[in-house]
Structures are given as C-alpha cells and as structure tokens.
Amino acid sequence: MELISENKVFGGVHKRFKHQSSTNNCEMTFAIFLPKSVNNDTKLPVLYWLSGLTCTDENFMQKAGVFKYASERGLVIVAPDTSPRGEDVADDENGSYDFGLGAGFYLNATQSPYSTHYNMYDYVTNELPKLIESNFLVSTKKSISGHSMGGHGALTIGLRNSLQYESISAFAPISNPTNCPWGIKAFSGYLGDDEASWAQYDATALLRQNTISRQIPIKIDQGADDAFLVDQLKPEALQNAAKNIGYNIEFQLHDGYDHSYFFISSFIEQHIEFHAKHLR
Amino acid sequence: MELISENKVFGGVHKRFKHQSSTNNCEMTFAIFLPKSVNNDTKLPVLYWLSGLTCTDENFMQKAGVFKYASERGLVIVAPDTSPRGEDVADDENGSYDFGLGAGFYLNATQSPYSTHYNMYDYVTNELPKLIESNFLVSTKKSISGHSMGGHGALTIGLRNSLQYESISAFAPISNPTNCPWGIKAFSGYLGDDEASWAQYDATALLRQNTISRQIPIKIDQGADDAFLVDQLKPEALQNAAKNIGYNIEFQLHDGYDHSYFFISSFIEQHIEFHAKHLR
C-alpha cells in the first residue's frame, strides 16, 4: 500500500492509498477515515461505502459530511473506487458514463475484455476487507452502504453475505437492475446474454429467490424528486419482493429531495446511527 | 437573475443563479442556501462566504458541511464566485492559478486590462447584497466569512465596512498580502506599482492604520500543518497589528490540520455559532 494523501478531519484522519489489486489485476485506490480513538486498544468496526456511477473514492469523503457522525460513533469508513482503473483496463468503446471506467457495478465480469479487471464484487467482499483488517486497527465487524449504483452494490453484497455484514443501508439504490436501462446495459456487457446469471447481482431478484441466510437489517432512503426514480431505481420492486417474503425493510421516501449529495448529506447522520446500533 | 439549479438540503434549499453584473461587466454566478424558515414572515440574516484561489461558488456549498448548522441557526448563506468570468474577461497570460480567473482577490482593479471586469470588492460589498436583499426574504443583517484568499476578502471587506457587517470570520486567511508572493503578484497586476494603493486591501495594514470604525468581532482558525502558513498566510503579522491597537481577535491554531475543506468542515459549526450570536 502506498499513501497518496492524508488530512486531519474532526480529530481523526482521512487517508487515500493505492495498492496493486490481485482481484482486479490493476492498481486500485481507496480512502479510509480513522476516527480519533478514545482508547487506542479498541478495534473499531468498519462501514464500507460504495459510490455511484462516475464517482471515485473521493465523492463521498468530500461531500457527505460524514466525519462528525463517524467520529461521534467511533466508526471507520472505507470508500473504494467504483471500478478498476488504468490504461490496460477496458473502457466502454463509446466512453459512456454508465459502463466501463467508473461504472463497475460491483460484480465479477465474465465477458471479454472486461473479465480481466472488472471483479469489483470479489474486490469489495474479499480483497479489500482483508487489506483493511491486516493494515489498520479495526475489528472484523462491518456494515455496508452506498448510493445509486453503490446502493445496488451494498444491497446485493450485503444480502449475499448477510453473515459477514451487520447491516445494509442505501441512498437511492438501483434496486432492480435487471429491469432498468443502466442495469441491462451493464449486465449485458459484463455478464453476457444469459440473463439467468444476472439475478445474483439484482437485490430484488435475490429477495424473490428467498435464499438469504438471515434478515440482515436494511435501511433505504430515497428522494421523491430524484430524476432517476421511475426509470432506473425502482424501489417499489424491491419493497414488493421484500413484502412477499416477510422481510422488513426500513424505507423512507423524502419529499423534494433529488439524487445528489445534498440529499445524502441531509440524512447521512441517520445512516451512521443505524449502522452504529447494529455494529455494537 | 436566472436559476441554474436547485437542490433540497437539510429541509432548506440550495440554489445557483446567474445574473448580469453591472459592477463586473459580465455574467456572474452565485449560490444561496435558504434554510426552512420556522416562520415565513421572519427575514433571516445572511452570511456571505468568500472562497479561495481556483474556487467557484460550488466548493464551499459542496464540501463544508454547513447546511445542518445554518438550518439550526436560521442563517442564509450566499457564496459568490471568486472572480469575473467569461470569454471577454482578461485572464493571466500564463494561465496561472493565482492570478486572473478564479483569483479576483476581492478588490477593484485599476490596471488595464483587468479594471474592466475585476471589481469584486464593489460586487461583494454593494451589488450582491442589494441583489440578495431585493430578491429573497432576508434581513439586511449580514456577516462575512471566507477561506484563504476569501479569508483575506472577508477580513478586508469586514474591517472597511465594520458598520455594515456584524462579524467576520476566516479560515487560514491571507493575512498580510502586501508581504507574501500571492498578494504581491495579485496587487502588482491588478493595482500597479504604487504600493500605497495596496494597503486598503491588506487586513494587517488596515489594522496598523488604526482607522477602523468599530472593533467588529473577528474569529480566525488556522491549521498548524497548513503548507501555506509561513510563506503566504502570515497570521502573526495580523495578530501583532491587532495587539498593538488593542483589538481582540479570537485566533486558534489547530495541530495537524491543513489548508483543505477537511479542515474547514471540522470547524465550520463554531463559525456558524459565532456569526449567529452576533447576528441576533
């Protein structure tokens, strides 16, 4: 790991690192916030944050206003990049924002040329936590959260690994990607035409299959004025699937809020409280 | 005024506008945060925020985490751009970051070709407050704050207009620009070689002249690990000038903090409290 930058914030420290990822076969960047520990012998739990389309590790750390709350609750925050990066990494040939670089969709690609580097599912669930737990004074207790494409990532990763994470939260997640333009484009490109392979990366489909190990607590916030709500996000599909199997999801629709970090920053305190409760 | 964008945040609203500025002879952009009023008949006071080199109206609004505190205290926040903009506006011929576009230094330029557009002092002290007060439900009570070049702006504007503003605060201000590389470059270019004309835009020089109408309350925070502290910011010059005339400045040096918004966000709550106290 190589330190890129370091900033003191709310008494703790925000650091960016790069490292060679064996999962993604390229150099990956991540950011970590380490709150000022009351007791240096206490291993703090970790909240993993997954960002949305076009983002890097920086958006959440700069715009969410999370540090005050993470400091108060003693949570470490880790934010990975949203895709593999580098000159060797295949991008969308049209350079679109919703496929390729910045749009890894937190899955393991099976299609050439993406399968060489696009293994964000394994990176987030396996390589990154091991790296964090072996290099920082953190506990193995962890939760996961994210926004939009990252909300999709948090839901699918958390549901498929419900014994490894304590809780899931999401802002405006892509809740049923096999049934929306962003998801169909991404899954076609990364996973190919066999739609049966798509379901493992669709939170709504996972709930419909009803094979989740345990009802890991889920909190979702959604802006009612989000421009992507109807065509791309489809929270009602997820809610219906949850209802049908008796899975209680804490869902709130907020009048007037959009898809931006202005929305996220308005409710991030409640997400930190939610995760802190389940991480204790 | 033309609305550029609008986002709900912490129950209030963040809006960006552009308008034709008669002071700067170009189109100017500003952002405003209007908290959710408890009572729509109450005219809320305004805090003007001036950003630093290379910034626009967006940096503070996206990165400072101010909305929670401004909402709680009932403060309107207005953030102008840091310079005139547009194809007609003369930029530094070398395209440097510390002169020309994005580096207006909150002064009225006297030198060609800058004097046509670079009148940020008049814009911030006169045109912008009139525009805000005639278009929004705000009181005429106002305070001023800023960061780095914007901290210099807040100090000089507040000191020279101490009867119009209730309080001044600054993060890592350029405190003695006539005596640092950033300031000397800017003042030479905008104001010419007559250094006597520079003092009106130098907070330390203004205190040395001791002609301030009243001791308007001043709060300054500075990171001890700020890379610009010694060569560019020179807070000790301002403190010495204040001490010599018996002017009490609330100054705090913070171990480990740098020049970034990570620093600003860590202490913005205290600045909002400071201004709210003086605006009541």
Side-chain angles (χ1 to χ4, degrees):
Chain A
M1 293 200 320
E2 187 185 326
L3 183 68
I4 300 170
S5 65
E6 182 171 351
N7 313 88
K8 188 171 179 181
V9 60
F10 277 96
V13 62
H14 167 263
K15 295 183 179 190
R16 300 182 69 214
F17 289 93
K18 55 185 179 181
H19 71 107
Q20 190 63 31
S21 163
S22 59
T23 308
N24 288 334
N25 295 304
C26 66
E27 197 172 72
M28 291 293 297
T29 300
F30 71 87
I32 185 167
F33 170 68
L34 297 154
K36 187 182 173 185
S37 293
V38 178
N39 177 345
N40 277 332
D41 296 332
T42 306
K43 291 189 170 184
L44 298 178
V46 182
L47 176 64
Y48 288 84
W49 172 269
L50 307 180
S51 279
L53 289 166
T54 77
C55 290
T56 68
D57 63 289
E58 295 190 287
N59 304 66
F60 180 74
M61 294 301 206
Q62 292 186 1
K63 296 182 174 180
V66 73
F67 303 117
K68 175 184 167 71
Y69 314 121
S71 293
E72 289 169 354
R73 300 288 181 158
L75 289 195
V76 172
I77 313 268
V78 172
D81 201 350
T82 55
S83 79
R85 306 270 181 182
E87 285 183 11
D88 294 341
V89 176
D91 195 6
D92 182 53
E93 54 191 12
N94 303 314
S96 62
Y97 76 98
D98 54 1
F99 189 78
L101 298 183
F105 270 86
Y106 306 104
L107 51 73
N108 296 330
T110 58
Q111 303 300 298
S112 176
Y114 304 106
S115 51
T116 313
H117 298 289
Y118 285 79
N119 296 303
M120 289 297 291
Y121 180 85
D122 281 351
Y123 178 73
V124 170
T125 55
N126 190 8
E127 185 176 7
L128 184 60
K130 280 186 184 155
L131 191 76
I132 298 300
E133 289 161 17
S134 60
N135 283 281
F136 301 96
L137 193 77
V138 301
S139 81
T140 56
K141 278 209 159 189
K142 49 186 172 293
S143 291
I144 192 158
S145 182
H147 171 229
S148 196
M149 176 183 74
H152 141 75
L155 286 168
T156 52
I157 285 171
L159 286 169
R160 287 173 62 183
N161 303 276
S162 59
L163 303 177
Q164 282 95 294
Y165 296 89
E166 304 301 319
S167 46
I168 304 170
S169 79
F171 291 87
I174 304 174
S175 300
N176 188 192
T178 61
N179 192 30
C180 78
W182 278 341
I184 292 168
K185 179 176 178 178
F187 290 3
S188 301
Y190 295 131
L191 303 174
D193 294 335
D194 176 17
E195 296 189 18
S197 73
W198 296 8
Q200 61 185 316
Y201 299 116
D202 183 307
T204 298
L206 290 170
L207 290 182
R208 285 186 189 140
Q209 289 170 359
N210 198 10
T211 55
I212 312 302
S213 302
R214 69 166 189 120
Q215 288 203 2
I216 175 174
I218 299 178
K219 174 179 171 61
I220 296 175
D221 284 286
Q222 173 65 54
D225 280 11
D226 186 324
F228 303 110
L229 177 54
V230 174
D231 290 342
Q232 303 282 10
L233 306 178
K234 301 188 185 291
E236 70 290 348
L238 185 76
Q239 286 175 286
N240 287 336
K243 234 174 249 168
N244 286 341
I245 61 167
Y247 197 137
N248 181 39
I249 292 179
E250 197 177 306
F251 179 88
Q252 280 191 284
L253 189 70
H254 300 276
D255 274 357
Y257 285 92
D258 61 24
H259 200 66
S260 71
Y261 270 89
F262 292 106
F263 166 54
I264 296 172
S265 68
S266 300
F267 297 97
I268 192 67
E269 180 176 12
Q270 297 168 20
H271 284 239
I272 295 299
E273 280 177 13
F274 171 79
H275 291 296
K277 187 177 68 184
H278 292 291
L279 285 162
R280 284 297 143 75
Chain B
M1 292 199 321
E2 186 185 328
L3 184 67
I4 300 170
S5 64
E6 182 172 348
N7 313 88
K8 188 169 179 180
V9 60
F10 278 95
V13 62
H14 166 263
K15 296 182 180 190
R16 300 182 68 215
F17 289 93
K18 54 185 179 181
H19 71 106
Q20 190 60 32
S21 164
S22 59
T23 308
N24 288 336
N25 296 304
C26 66
E27 197 172 68
M28 291 294 295
T29 300
F30 71 88
I32 184 167
F33 170 67
L34 298 154
K36 187 182 174 183
S37 294
V38 178
N39 177 344
N40 276 331
D41 296 333
T42 306
K43 291 189 169 185
L44 299 177
V46 182
L47 176 64
Y48 288 85
W49 172 270
L50 307 181
S51 280
L53 289 166
T54 77
C55 289
T56 68
D57 63 288
E58 295 192 285
N59 306 64
F60 180 74
M61 294 300 205
Q62 293 187 1
K63 295 182 175 180
V66 73
F67 302 118
K68 174 185 167 70
Y69 314 121
S71 294
E72 289 168 354
R73 300 287 181 162
L75 289 195
V76 172
I77 314 269
V78 171
D81 202 350
T82 54
S83 80
R85 304 272 181 181
E87 286 183 9
D88 295 342
V89 176
D91 195 6
D92 182 52
E93 55 192 15
N94 302 315
S96 62
Y97 76 97
D98 55 1
F99 188 79
L101 299 183
F105 270 85
Y106 306 103
L107 51 73
N108 295 331
T110 58
Q111 303 300 297
S112 178
Y114 304 105
S115 52
T116 313
H117 298 289
Y118 285 79
N119 296 303
M120 288 298 291
Y121 180 86
D122 281 351
Y123 178 73
V124 170
T125 56
N126 190 9
E127 186 178 7
L128 184 60
K130 281 186 184 156
L131 190 76
I132 299 299
E133 288 161 18
S134 59
N135 283 281
F136 301 95
L137 193 75
V138 301
S139 81
T140 56
K141 277 208 159 187
K142 50 187 172 290
S143 291
I144 193 159
S145 183
H147 172 228
S148 196
M149 176 184 75
H152 141 75
L155 286 168
T156 52
I157 285 172
L159 285 169
R160 287 172 61 183
N161 303 275
S162 59
L163 302 176
Q164 281 95 293
Y165 296 88
E166 303 301 321
S167 46
I168 303 169
S169 80
F171 291 87
I174 304 173
S175 301
N176 189 194
T178 61
N179 193 30
C180 78
W182 279 340
I184 291 168
K185 178 176 179 178
F187 290 4
S188 301
Y190 295 130
L191 303 173
D193 295 335
D194 176 17
E195 296 189 17
S197 72
W198 296 8
Q200 60 185 317
Y201 299 115
D202 182 308
T204 298
L206 289 170
L207 290 182
R208 284 185 189 141
Q209 290 170 359
N210 198 7
T211 56
I212 312 301
S213 302
R214 71 169 187 119
Q215 288 201 1
I216 176 173
I218 299 177
K219 172 179 173 58
I220 297 175
D221 285 286
Q222 173 66 52
D225 279 11
D226 186 325
F228 304 111
L229 176 54
V230 175
D231 290 342
Q232 303 282 10
L233 305 178
K234 301 187 183 290
E236 71 290 349
L238 186 77
Q239 286 175 286
N240 287 337
K243 232 174 252 170
N244 286 341
I245 62 168
Y247 197 136
N248 181 40
I249 291 179
E250 196 177 309
F251 179 89
Q252 279 190 284
L253 189 69
H254 300 276
D255 274 357
Y257 285 93
D258 61 23
H259 200 63
S260 71
Y261 270 90
F262 292 105
F263 166 54
I264 295 173
S265 68
S266 301
F267 298 97
I268 192 66
E269 179 175 12
Q270 297 169 19
H271 284 240
I272 294 299
E273 280 176 14
F274 171 79
H275 292 296
K277 186 177 71 185
H278 293 291
L279 285 161
R280 285 296 143 77

